[in-house]
Protein backbone atom coordinates (compact mmCIF):
# COMPACT_ATOMS: atom_id res chain seq x y z
CA UNK A 1 0.00 0.00 0.00
CA UNK A 2 1.42 3.41 -1.03
CA UNK A 3 -1.42 5.64 0.04
CA UNK A 4 -3.26 6.46 3.24
CA UNK A 5 -6.90 5.37 3.49
CA UNK A 6 -7.83 8.82 4.87
CA UNK A 7 -7.93 12.31 3.30
CA UNK A 8 -7.11 14.11 6.59
CA UNK A 9 -5.46 13.10 9.86
CA UNK A 10 -8.06 14.03 12.45
CA UNK A 11 -7.58 11.01 14.73
CA UNK A 12 -5.91 7.62 15.06
CA UNK A 13 -9.37 6.08 15.35
CA UNK A 14 -9.83 6.54 11.58
CA UNK A 15 -6.51 4.92 10.59
CA UNK A 16 -5.97 1.28 9.67
CA UNK A 17 -2.98 -0.74 10.86
CA UNK A 18 -1.69 -0.53 7.26
CA UNK A 19 -1.90 3.30 7.40
CA UNK A 20 0.20 3.31 10.56
CA UNK A 21 2.75 0.90 9.06
CA UNK A 22 2.97 3.11 5.93
CA UNK A 23 3.55 6.22 8.07
CA UNK A 24 6.31 4.39 9.98
CA UNK A 25 7.97 3.15 6.77
CA UNK A 26 7.89 6.67 5.33
CA UNK A 27 9.21 8.10 8.61
CA UNK A 28 12.16 5.66 8.44
CA UNK A 29 13.30 7.35 5.19
CA UNK A 30 12.77 10.84 6.59
CA UNK A 31 14.66 9.97 9.77
CA UNK A 32 17.61 9.14 7.57
CA UNK A 33 17.19 12.54 5.79
CA UNK A 34 17.13 14.58 9.01
CA UNK A 35 20.34 12.94 10.17
CA UNK A 36 22.23 14.00 7.01
CA UNK A 37 24.40 17.15 6.97
CA UNK A 38 21.79 18.70 4.61
CA UNK A 39 18.56 17.83 6.39
CA UNK A 40 16.22 18.73 3.59
CA UNK A 41 14.45 17.28 0.55
CA UNK A 42 12.67 19.23 -2.22
CA UNK A 43 9.52 17.03 -2.14
CA UNK A 44 6.94 19.72 -1.24
CA UNK A 45 8.36 22.83 -2.95
CA UNK A 46 4.93 23.53 -4.46
CA UNK A 47 2.94 23.21 -1.20
CA UNK A 48 1.99 25.90 1.34
CA UNK A 49 1.06 24.86 4.88
CA UNK A 50 -0.57 26.97 7.60
CA UNK A 51 0.03 26.06 11.24
CA UNK A 52 -2.99 27.30 13.22
CA UNK A 53 -2.43 27.16 16.96
CA UNK A 54 -5.40 28.19 19.09
CA UNK A 55 -3.67 26.71 22.17
CA UNK A 56 -0.14 26.85 23.54
CA UNK A 57 2.48 24.45 22.25
CA UNK A 58 6.25 24.09 22.17
CA UNK A 59 7.08 20.62 20.83
CA UNK A 60 4.21 20.05 18.40
CA UNK A 61 4.35 23.48 16.83
CA UNK A 62 8.12 23.53 16.34
CA UNK A 63 8.13 19.92 15.21
CA UNK A 64 5.48 20.54 12.52
CA UNK A 65 7.24 23.69 11.35
CA UNK A 66 10.58 21.90 11.10
CA UNK A 67 8.97 18.93 9.34
CA UNK A 68 7.37 21.27 6.79
CA UNK A 69 10.63 23.16 6.20
CA UNK A 70 12.64 19.91 5.89
CA UNK A 71 10.19 18.99 3.09
CA UNK A 72 10.74 22.43 1.46
CA UNK A 73 7.10 23.52 1.88
CA UNK A 74 6.23 27.19 2.34
CA UNK A 75 5.03 27.75 5.91
CA UNK A 76 2.83 30.35 7.58
CA UNK A 77 2.19 30.41 11.31
CA UNK A 78 -0.92 31.65 13.04
CA UNK A 79 -1.40 32.14 16.73
CA UNK A 80 -4.90 32.80 18.06
CA UNK A 81 -3.67 35.17 20.75
CA UNK A 82 -2.44 37.69 18.17
CA UNK A 83 -5.15 37.17 15.51
CA UNK A 84 -8.58 38.51 14.55
CA UNK A 85 -10.17 35.54 16.38
CA UNK A 86 -9.90 37.93 19.32
CA UNK A 87 -12.20 40.30 17.39
CA UNK A 88 -14.94 37.65 17.05
CA UNK A 89 -14.10 35.96 13.73
CA UNK A 90 -15.34 32.34 13.47
CA UNK A 91 -13.00 29.38 12.92
CA UNK A 92 -14.41 28.70 9.43
CA UNK A 93 -14.09 32.37 8.39
CA UNK A 94 -10.54 32.51 9.74
CA UNK A 95 -9.53 29.36 7.88
CA UNK A 96 -11.32 30.33 4.64
CA UNK A 97 -9.47 33.67 4.69
CA UNK A 98 -6.18 31.82 5.12
CA UNK A 99 -7.10 29.41 2.31
CA UNK A 100 -7.92 32.35 0.00
CA UNK A 101 -4.18 33.05 0.18
CA UNK A 102 -3.66 29.66 -1.57
CA UNK A 103 -2.84 27.41 1.36
CA UNK A 104 -2.88 23.66 0.63
CA UNK A 105 -2.81 22.16 4.10
CA UNK A 106 -3.75 23.19 7.62
CA UNK A 107 -2.21 21.88 10.85
CA UNK A 108 -4.45 22.86 13.72
CA UNK A 109 -4.34 22.72 17.51
CA UNK A 110 -7.62 23.74 19.11
CA UNK A 111 -9.12 23.53 22.63
CA UNK A 112 -12.42 22.04 21.40
CA UNK A 113 -12.72 18.25 20.95
CA UNK A 114 -13.73 17.51 17.35
CA UNK A 115 -12.48 20.85 15.98
CA UNK A 116 -10.18 19.23 13.39
CA UNK A 117 -12.92 16.92 12.07
CA UNK A 118 -15.39 19.85 12.01
CA UNK A 119 -12.94 21.87 9.95
CA UNK A 120 -12.05 19.00 7.60
CA UNK A 121 -15.74 18.63 6.68
CA UNK A 122 -16.18 22.32 5.87
CA UNK A 123 -13.08 23.60 4.10
CA UNK A 124 -11.33 22.56 0.89
CA UNK A 125 -7.92 21.71 2.29
CA UNK A 126 -6.09 18.85 3.98
CA UNK A 127 -6.37 19.03 7.77
CA UNK A 128 -3.97 17.58 10.35
CA UNK A 129 -5.04 17.53 13.98
CA UNK A 130 -2.23 18.78 16.23
CA UNK A 131 -4.36 18.17 19.34
CA UNK A 132 -8.08 18.91 19.81
CA UNK A 133 -8.95 19.51 23.45
CA UNK A 134 -9.24 16.29 25.44
CA UNK A 135 -9.99 14.24 22.30
CA UNK A 136 -7.00 13.14 20.16
CA UNK A 137 -3.37 14.03 19.44
CA UNK A 138 -2.69 11.62 16.58
CA UNK A 139 0.87 12.59 15.64
CA UNK A 140 1.92 12.30 19.30
CA UNK A 141 0.59 8.72 19.42
CA UNK A 142 2.32 7.89 16.13
CA UNK A 143 5.67 9.21 17.35
CA UNK A 144 5.21 7.41 20.67
CA UNK A 145 4.48 4.06 19.03
CA UNK A 146 7.29 4.60 16.50
CA UNK A 147 9.72 5.29 19.38
CA UNK A 148 8.55 2.17 21.25
CA UNK A 149 8.96 0.09 18.10
CA UNK A 150 12.51 1.39 17.65
CA UNK A 151 13.35 0.08 21.14
CA UNK A 152 11.28 -3.11 21.28
CA UNK A 153 10.66 -4.15 17.67
CA UNK A 154 7.18 -5.39 16.72
CA UNK A 155 4.69 -4.15 19.35
CA UNK A 156 2.46 -7.23 19.14
CA UNK A 157 1.96 -8.47 22.71
CA UNK A 158 4.05 -5.66 24.25
CA UNK A 159 2.62 -4.16 27.42
CA UNK A 160 2.24 -0.41 27.78
CA UNK A 161 0.92 1.43 30.82
CA UNK A 162 -0.25 5.03 30.52
CA UNK A 163 -0.02 6.69 33.94
CA UNK A 164 -1.74 9.79 35.26
CA UNK A 165 -4.44 12.17 34.10
CA UNK A 166 -6.21 9.91 31.61
CA UNK A 167 -9.47 11.86 31.95
CA UNK A 168 -8.12 15.07 30.38
CA UNK A 169 -5.59 13.47 28.06
CA UNK A 170 -5.80 13.48 24.26
CA UNK A 171 -2.43 11.69 24.25
CA UNK A 172 -3.93 8.77 26.21
CA UNK A 173 -6.85 8.21 23.83
CA UNK A 174 -4.73 8.43 20.68
CA UNK A 175 -2.11 6.11 22.25
CA UNK A 176 -4.78 3.56 23.19
CA UNK A 177 -6.14 3.45 19.62
CA UNK A 178 -2.66 3.35 18.05
CA UNK A 179 -1.14 0.71 20.34
CA UNK A 180 -4.17 -1.57 20.10
CA UNK A 181 -4.13 -1.37 16.29
CA UNK A 182 -0.48 -2.47 16.46
CA UNK A 183 -1.32 -5.42 18.72
CA UNK A 184 0.00 -4.08 22.05
CA UNK A 185 -1.78 -4.52 25.38
CA UNK A 186 -2.66 -1.26 27.13
CA UNK A 187 -3.24 -0.49 30.80
CA UNK A 188 -4.16 2.85 32.35
CA UNK A 189 -3.11 3.75 35.88
CA UNK A 190 -4.03 6.69 38.07
CA UNK A 191 -6.39 7.89 40.77
CA UNK A 192 -10.01 6.75 40.31
CA UNK A 193 -11.04 10.36 39.75
CA UNK A 194 -8.71 10.73 36.75
CA UNK A 195 -9.68 7.48 34.99
CA UNK A 196 -12.85 7.72 32.84
CA UNK A 197 -15.53 5.41 34.28
CA UNK A 198 -16.16 3.40 31.10
CA UNK A 199 -12.61 3.23 29.77
CA UNK A 200 -12.63 -0.57 30.13
CA UNK A 201 -15.00 -0.65 27.15
CA UNK A 202 -12.02 0.38 24.99
CA UNK A 203 -10.37 -2.91 25.94
CA UNK A 204 -7.77 -1.45 28.30
CA UNK A 205 -6.83 -2.75 31.74
CA UNK A 206 -7.25 -0.42 34.72
CA UNK A 207 -4.89 -0.38 37.72
CA UNK A 208 -4.74 2.07 40.60
CA UNK A 209 -1.49 0.79 42.13
CA UNK A 210 1.55 2.24 40.35
CA UNK A 211 3.99 -0.49 41.46
CA UNK A 212 1.70 -3.27 40.16
CA UNK A 213 1.28 -1.40 36.86
CA UNK A 214 5.03 -0.95 36.46
CA UNK A 215 5.74 -4.61 37.29
CA UNK A 216 3.27 -5.57 34.52
CA UNK A 217 4.55 -3.33 31.71
CA UNK A 218 7.40 -3.09 29.19
CA UNK A 219 6.84 0.65 28.74
CA UNK A 220 5.48 3.32 31.09
CA UNK A 221 4.16 6.48 29.45
CA UNK A 222 3.94 9.09 32.22
CA UNK A 223 1.42 11.88 31.61
CA UNK A 224 1.38 15.40 32.95
CA UNK A 225 -1.35 16.45 35.36
CA UNK A 226 -3.32 18.92 33.23
CA UNK A 227 -4.23 21.47 35.88
CA UNK A 228 -5.33 23.92 33.15
CA UNK A 229 -8.14 21.52 32.11
CA UNK A 230 -9.26 20.63 35.63
CA UNK A 231 -12.33 22.59 36.64
CA UNK A 232 -12.49 20.91 40.04
CA UNK A 233 -10.14 19.17 42.44
CA UNK A 234 -9.47 15.55 41.44
CA UNK A 235 -6.99 14.77 44.25
CA UNK A 236 -6.16 16.41 47.58
CA UNK A 237 -2.73 17.82 46.66
CA UNK A 238 0.07 17.52 44.09
CA UNK A 239 2.26 16.21 46.92
CA UNK A 240 -0.13 13.31 47.54
CA UNK A 241 -0.42 12.64 43.79
CA UNK A 242 3.37 12.44 43.52
CA UNK A 243 3.60 10.08 46.50
CA UNK A 244 1.10 7.67 44.92
CA UNK A 245 1.60 8.09 41.16
CA UNK A 246 4.93 9.85 40.65
CA UNK A 247 7.78 7.73 39.25
CA UNK A 248 11.10 8.17 41.07
CA UNK A 249 14.45 6.43 40.63
CA UNK A 250 14.07 4.31 43.73
CA UNK A 251 10.84 2.81 42.36
CA UNK A 252 12.31 2.40 38.85
CA UNK A 253 15.44 0.64 40.13
CA UNK A 254 13.44 -1.66 42.40
CA UNK A 255 11.40 -3.20 39.55
CA UNK A 256 12.11 -6.80 38.58
CA UNK A 257 12.88 -5.80 34.95
CA UNK A 258 14.20 -2.77 33.08
CA UNK A 259 11.28 -0.87 31.60
CA UNK A 260 11.26 2.02 29.09
CA UNK A 261 10.05 5.38 30.40
CA UNK A 262 8.28 7.87 28.12
CA UNK A 263 6.62 11.24 28.52
CA UNK A 264 4.91 13.33 25.82
CA UNK A 265 6.02 16.59 27.46
CA UNK A 266 5.89 19.16 28.83
CA UNK A 267 7.31 17.47 31.95
CA UNK A 268 6.52 18.61 35.45
CA UNK A 269 9.78 17.48 37.05
CA UNK A 270 9.18 16.27 40.59
CA UNK A 271 5.42 15.74 40.04
CA UNK A 272 4.67 12.81 37.68
CA UNK A 273 8.34 12.00 37.08
CA UNK A 274 11.49 12.81 39.05
CA UNK A 275 14.43 14.53 37.36
CA UNK A 276 16.72 11.51 37.71
CA UNK A 277 14.13 9.28 35.98
CA UNK A 278 13.54 11.84 33.19
CA UNK A 279 17.29 12.00 32.57
CA UNK A 280 18.00 8.28 33.10
CA UNK A 281 19.13 5.85 30.40
CA UNK A 282 15.71 4.18 30.55
CA UNK A 283 14.02 7.43 29.50
CA UNK A 284 13.47 7.96 25.75
CA UNK A 285 11.82 11.36 26.09
CA UNK A 286 14.21 13.18 23.75
CA UNK A 287 14.15 10.33 21.19
CA UNK A 288 10.36 10.84 21.12
CA UNK A 289 10.89 14.50 20.25
CA UNK A 290 13.45 13.63 17.56
CA UNK A 291 11.13 11.03 16.03
CA UNK A 292 8.29 13.57 16.05
CA UNK A 293 9.87 15.46 13.16
CA UNK A 294 10.25 12.33 11.00
CA UNK A 295 6.70 11.16 11.80
CA UNK A 296 5.23 14.59 10.95
CA UNK A 297 7.24 14.73 7.71
CA UNK A 298 5.75 11.34 6.82
CA UNK A 299 2.16 12.37 7.59
CA UNK A 300 2.46 15.66 5.69
CA UNK A 301 4.18 13.99 2.72
CA UNK A 302 1.58 11.21 2.47
CA UNK A 303 -1.39 13.61 2.71
CA UNK A 304 0.21 16.04 0.25
CA UNK A 305 0.51 13.20 -2.27
CA UNK A 306 -3.32 13.16 -2.30
CA UNK A 307 -3.59 16.81 -3.35
CA UNK A 308 -4.32 17.08 -7.09
CA UNK A 309 -1.35 19.08 -8.39
N1 LIG B 1 3.49 16.85 23.54
C1 LIG B 1 2.93 18.03 23.23
O1 LIG B 1 1.87 18.11 22.60
O2 LIG B 1 3.64 19.12 23.65
P1 LIG B 1 3.28 20.64 23.31
O3 LIG B 1 2.00 20.95 24.05
O4 LIG B 1 4.45 21.46 23.79
O5 LIG B 1 3.08 20.75 21.84
Amino acid sequence: MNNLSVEHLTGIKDLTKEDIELIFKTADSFKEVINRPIKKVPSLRDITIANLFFENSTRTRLSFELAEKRLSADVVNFSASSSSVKKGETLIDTVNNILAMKVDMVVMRHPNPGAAKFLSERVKTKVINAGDGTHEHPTQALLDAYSMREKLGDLTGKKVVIVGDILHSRVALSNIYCLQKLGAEVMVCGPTTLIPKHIGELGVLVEHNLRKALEWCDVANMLRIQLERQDLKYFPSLREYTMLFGLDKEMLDSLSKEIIVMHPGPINRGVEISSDVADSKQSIILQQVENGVAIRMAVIYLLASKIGR
Side-chain angles (χ1 to χ4, degrees):
M1 196 182 76
N2 297 318
N3 231 333
L4 294 176
S5 67
V6 291
E7 294 302 312
H8 310 272
L9 180 60
T10 58
I12 299 287
K13 193 174 183 186
D14 304 328
L15 298 183
T16 61
K17 182 178 182 186
E18 290 69 34
D19 287 328
I20 298 170
E21 299 286 1
L22 175 63
I23 293 168
F24 287 178
K25 195 168 132 225
T26 313
D28 285 342
S29 322
F30 287 133
K31 188 155 181 187
E32 191 265 315
V33 168
I34 59 179
N35 281 297
R36 287 183 201 157
I38 297 174
K39 308 170 179 56
K40 215 169 161 132
V41 284
S43 318
L44 301 190
R45 267 190 311 203
D46 55 339
I47 293 282
T48 303
I49 304 177
N51 298 314
L52 314 186
F53 278 71
F54 294 85
E55 249 191 10
N56 295 342
S57 169
T58 302
R59 275 145 294 271
T60 311
R61 184 175 178 149
L62 287 176
S63 181
F64 267 112
E65 190 173 341
L66 273 174
E68 291 150 6
K69 289 180 171 169
R70 304 274 191 244
L71 289 165
S72 303
D74 287 327
V75 179
V76 285
N77 288 308
F78 164 98
S79 159
S81 56
S82 56
S83 75
S84 291
V85 170
K86 291 276 171 209
K87 300 177 193 164
E89 190 168 63
T90 67
L91 174 62
I92 301 295
D93 282 340
T94 298
V95 175
N96 274 328
N97 274 274
I98 292 166
L99 297 185
M101 299 180 220
K102 308 290 176 221
V103 166
D104 305 290
M105 193 179 290
V106 162
V107 173
M108 184 173 76
R109 170 166 289 190
H110 199 281
N112 293 351
K117 181 113 181 135
F118 175 84
L119 189 67
S120 72
E121 288 165 354
R122 284 164 182 81
V123 294
K124 287 188 173 50
T125 188
K126 298 288 174 211
V127 176
I128 299 178
N129 181 5
D132 58 337
T134 55
H135 179 224
E136 280 224 41
H137 192 348
T139 55
Q140 180 69 46
L142 289 166
L143 74 89
D144 287 344
Y146 183 82
S147 304
M148 287 179 215
R149 205 185 60 146
E150 240 177 17
K151 282 278 167 196
L152 299 172
D154 183 358
L155 294 185
T156 307
K158 297 295 185 304
K159 294 176 174 166
V160 181
V161 63
I162 307 171
V163 182
D165 186 356
I166 312 298
L167 187 66
H168 299 97
S169 175
R170 53 193 174 213
V171 174
L173 188 60
S174 287
N175 260 269
I176 291 168
Y177 289 140
C178 191
L179 292 166
Q180 288 181 336
K181 284 175 199 262
L182 295 173
E185 285 182 62
V186 185
M187 175 185 280
V188 292
C189 175
T192 315
T193 48
L194 288 176
I195 306 275
K197 240 185 222 138
H198 301 290
I199 197 155
E201 288 170 21
L202 290 179
V204 300
L205 300 167
V206 178
E207 175 59 67
H208 300 294
N209 180 301
L210 180 62
R211 176 170 291 281
K212 283 188 188 162
L214 295 175
E215 285 292 358
W216 172 84
C217 75
D218 300 301
V219 180
N221 198 351
M222 307 300 295
L223 302 182
R224 182 174 66 88
I225 291 292
Q226 304 200 31
L227 291 173
E228 75 278 16
R229 294 194 201 280
Q230 297 186 5
D231 43 359
L232 36 103
K233 263 181 135 7
Y234 290 88
F235 46 83
S237 68
L238 272 184
R239 201 177 137 89
E240 183 175 313
Y241 178 84
T242 302
M243 276 171 61
L244 293 173
F245 296 100
L247 177 56
D248 62 17
K249 197 73 170 56
E250 196 186 329
M251 168 95 76
L252 190 64
D253 289 344
S254 70
L255 299 175
S256 54
K257 65 178 175 198
E258 200 167 280
I259 63 165
I260 292 167
V261 178
M262 303 178 67
H263 194 303
I267 301 174
N268 284 318
R269 287 177 183 258
V271 179
E272 67 273 2
I273 189 169
S274 65
S275 267
D276 47 7
V277 171
D279 301 331
S280 72
K281 64 177 177 40
Q282 282 162 261
S283 155
I284 61 163
I285 294 171
L286 292 180
Q287 283 106 299
Q288 290 173 256
V289 178
E290 180 185 341
N291 286 334
V293 178
I295 283 289
R296 288 176 176 122
M297 286 173 82
V299 168
I300 293 165
Y301 176 81
L302 290 166
L303 286 179
S305 73
K306 298 185 139 218
I307 299 172
R309 63 191 216 273

